[in-house]
Amino acid sequence: MSDEAIKKENLSEEVNIREAGGGGWLYSDVVKDHFFNPRNFMRYGEEEKFEFNAMGRVGSPACGDEMVLWLKIEPETEKIKECRWRTFGCGSAIASTSVLSEMITEKDGMKIEDALKIKPQDIIARLGGLPDRKIHCSVLGDKALQAAINDYFRKTGKHERVLTAGAKVIDSVLNITDKDIEEAVLEGAKTIEDLQKKLKIGALGKDSLPAAEELLKFYLEKYFKS
Amino acid sequence: MLPKPKKIREIYFDHAATAYTDERVVKAMLPYYSKTYGNPSSLHRAGREANAAVNDSRRKIAQILHALPENIIFVGGGTASDNLAIYGMARAHEQRGKHIITIPIEHHAILHPLEDLEKQGWKITKVKVNEEGFVSPEEIYKSIRPDTVLISVMYTNNEIGVIEPIADIGRVILKYRKEHNTPYPYFHTDACQAAGYLSLDVEKLHVDFLTLNGSKIYGPKGIGALYIRRGIKIKPMILGGGQERNLNAGTENVPGIVGLAKALEIAQNEKEKENKKMRKLSLYLWKKIQEKIQNIKLNGPEIGDDRLSSNLNITFMDIEGESLLLYLDEYGIMCSTGSACTSESLEPSHVLRALGMPYEYAHGSLRFSLGRRNTKQDVDYLMKYLPVIVEQLREMSPVRMEKQKHARYK
């Protein structure tokens, strides 16, 4: 299977950043809408009033993106009833958080087991695509969501449900796991430089690079050598 | 939510990226498309007329630089000029030595050729700049080795507007040459951003190579020039019909050359007036920003004689530059950022990083480069929206940088 084919399966459509509607704007119309009219973000003074039972934070301003997600999960149904967020990052980072906040709270709220299945590709598809180089750095939503739901599990004593499923943290500063590396490979990363570009892995310390390189080789063999 | 303006104005604050072509320049160029269209190398009348225009332009530029006409080589832009200086010099003098000195805040048109040479066995020394971006001539002097063939230091930096002490660096290089009885090292400066604001007299600056570009001085795009001091040999990068003293083959861009000369002439004539106007405007903008927005930092030197009068580079804490830029763009306001998100490499500005600035400061930087068409009304329009946009993006941001965390940056 070529990396080209994978990309088309996962994304609803590819977006030419120069012609992505919105009068030749940088991003798609959906991104533009969510960027200029962000939904559900945590306003000043709302922090004290908003009753949440889950919170997740990923990224750091040093690497260019940071995101915090607050969730109100209904214990009986385990549905996400309300959500607030704050994001430091570029246009696509803000839009992708905003769109995620809609995805998980619409139609009476998404069950957390379904929310845990959300992949960056789902968010990107809903956004109408993103320029290639923006995909990995600006879509942190699924990771923040996972972190928040884990927080909920821990707070409610359901430690056995805390999701570490197979994911091993490779870069602890940026919270990059082996799963992220697998995904990056599936999206076309072939060298460690590609990985650094896509994931910013090692941006704040090169310690994680040897392990990342090993995983890169492993997944390249697994998916692209038959 | 954000206020909607009654009428969106188009305000260009990105003159250091490129500028509109001055109408006087366009007018000077026009005859050289369909009327005087000859190839300057042709011997017939059409060719001779074109050749005359090229030579005339060369003379005008030489005069401004206090140089000889034959020492001006026309090339395809600032990058082409920088590349020719670096590669041309390196290839012609590698027998003598393979060491070049530069500074880390140079434009990529300098840094990337140098990185390329490094792969071919050259040694490159990047002399550190201080927190404001200045390099010390003494440090340059100390870095010179017997095998140093070239020193390249930009005249003014495109991002932070710092004006490097080119004449002083020139003098320490002269001192070194005298002490060691050698013509080396040669000295190149990239003056793309300085033209129109500072003196380009190569004798006073003590430079051997000087790079100029058309589009930053309200001239045409795709044209630049390299001044090469008499007697210095360099090797060409483009071979062909032997144009430009064998240093840049290919039929001359006659309208471009005429436009570059005209633009430089206007820019240097109006230098004082322009400097005064830009200084006043940038001071006004900086004052207004300080009044209305908290937690900001001016990047580069204080506003004054050490800073290009048209440049302001400001970090807005806790928010990211691309977002800020795109919001401003919605209001018709155009500027640029050192944030990683707008660069292909996803790395924040190498210039801001070289000042020792943490990543998060570089990410929130915005550069306003003012120009001829800007007015006080433009600044007032900007200041109607900038504070609310910053406020909204800060509200959306989870980052609250504590200032004391980086005591150096207040």
Side-chain angles (χ1 to χ4, degrees), chain A residues 35-36 44 86-87 89 134, chain B residues 322-323 327 330 341 395-396:
Chain A
F35 176 59
F36 288 116
Y44 282 147
R86 274 195 182 134
T87 289
K134 291 283 187 177
Chain B
E322 189 204 84
S323 293
Y327 264 91
E330 267 312 272
C341 294
E395 191 171 9
M396 265 192 261

Side-chain angles (χ1 to χ4, degrees), chain A residues 44-79:
Chain A
Y44 282 147
E46 213 186 340
E47 294 101 320
E48 293 84 31
K49 285 177 248 157
F50 186 74
E51 287 170 20
F52 60 92
N53 50 8
M55 181 202 157
R57 176 189 288 264
V58 287
S60 88
C63 63
D65 294 279
E66 177 169 333
M67 176 185 301
V68 183
L69 210 56
W70 293 268
L71 305 178
K72 197 187 278 181
I73 298 169
E74 194 175 64
E76 302 80 43
T77 58
E78 295 207 326
K79 278 180 176 176

Side-chain angles (χ1 to χ4, degrees), chain A residues 71-142:
Chain A
L71 305 178
K72 197 187 278 181
I73 298 169
E74 194 175 64
E76 302 80 43
T77 58
E78 295 207 326
K79 278 180 176 176
I80 300 168
K81 286 299 184 186
E82 266 189 89
C83 162
R84 291 287 182 275
W85 56 268
R86 274 195 182 134
T87 289
F88 170 94
C90 59
S92 50
I94 288 176
S96 69
T97 328
S98 173
V99 91
L100 174 74
S101 77
E102 258 189 10
M103 286 165 77
I104 56 176
T105 53
E106 67 195 358
K107 293 180 199 144
D108 198 33
M110 190 182 268
K111 285 197 148 220
I112 53 176
E113 56 181 273
D114 294 324
L116 284 171
K117 287 178 196 150
I118 293 178
K119 283 190 158 55
Q121 287 85 344
D122 303 323
I123 302 171
I124 294 163
R126 174 107 171 208
L127 284 171
L130 278 182
D132 244 10
R133 65 196 177 85
K134 291 283 187 177
I135 285 178
H136 250 281
C137 56
S138 58
V139 183
L140 294 168
D142 59 311

Side-chain angles (χ1 to χ4, degrees), chain B residues 138-157:
Chain B
E138 267 315 298
E139 289 301 315
I140 298 262
Y141 179 79
K142 281 191 229 155
S143 310
I144 303 176
R145 317 191 316 201
D147 62 342
T148 308
V149 290
L150 181 68
I151 294 173
S152 184
V153 177
M154 67 198 331
Y155 200 165
T156 62
N157 180 274

